[in-house]
Amino acid sequence: MRIARFNHGRIGVVVGDAQLVDITEVIGEDAAAWPPQGTVRLIARFAELRPLIEQALPSLPRLRLADVTLRTPVPWPNKVIAYPVNYHDHGREMQAGYRADVQGFFLKPCSSLSGAGEPVELPEVPGREVHHESELAIVIGKQCRGIAREQWREVVFGYACLLDMVVRGKEERVFRKAFDTFCPVGPWITTADEVGDPTQLEMKLWVNGELKQHASTRDLVLDIPGMVQMAAAVMTLHPGDIIATGTPAGVGPVKNGDTVRIAIDRLGEMSVPVVQGTLGRTPVFEKPYTPDIIKQR
Ligand code: MN
């Protein structure tokens, strides 16, 4: 099943290539509720709700995906976990002396989440580059802590495309990755049963139609079971928690007017416009910085 959020707090199921069914009422959610945790509850109660949804789907009206604005599927999770330098080629281009398997993870604020139908808003950081990072997102389905590696499938709900946007520099990593709209996730969540084996997913990212990143999840340094196990070793994971799994080589700057497109096998694709915002100026980025990226291949 493919679960989307759209328009103003509506929750839907994607059907076929181009349609969506609104299931907000079927699952007993109020689109206006705050905080917007309807999809967290849906994920937590999915085993119980899935038969109700499947039964209701044929009789509910269908909307065209082209007519709705897709929002981020889980806007208010407990946390967004992110693994740095988790592909060797990205480690080489950044000249990083570590990899995620021995470095651990960082967190992105949930307020940085945005959706497929929303722009990435660049902060006012003259003298700095804002880069795209193309990533697979894992969405957690069950509360867990201290799990064995073999248990990873039991706690993964599904997957999505994710852009880990970042201001390049040497300042605090979280600070550089925390701006609003710096974590587009979408276009929806595809449940794990529809993805099958997630260890061979091809991922591509284009800027204005030019292919910039192209990799397979088979090249991950710390693999998906390892990432889930490591996160759950440290923290209790909750339904709806998101894991950004790291980016391959090919990161680079985006600017006002660009379009960033990400596609992952079986998870769909999203194209997000990049716009220059008027917020975000701080003393932290006053000193100009240009990253020294060593082009791979
Ligand atoms: Mn990243």
Side-chain angles (χ1 to χ4, degrees), residues 82-85 90 106 133 135 162 164-165 177 244-247:
Y83 283 90
V85 197
H90 177 59
F106 62 97
E133 294 189 350
E135 310 200 6
L162 182 148
D164 177 17
M165 305 303 297
K177 290 183 175 244
T245 55
T247 196

Side-chain angles (χ1 to χ4, degrees), residues 248-268:
V251 301
V254 294
K255 58 183 191 318
N256 186 37
D258 285 349
T259 299
V260 180
R261 175 177 163 219
I262 177 174
I264 304 182
D265 284 345
R266 282 172 265 160
L267 307 184

Side-chain angles (χ1 to χ4, degrees), residues 1 22 66 70 87 112 141 166 207 229 232 253 266 281 291 296:
M1 195 172 280
D22 188 333
L70 287 172
Y87 289 83
S112 66
V166 55
V207 177
Q229 184 193 20
R266 282 172 265 160
R281 192 179 277 270
Q296 303 297 296

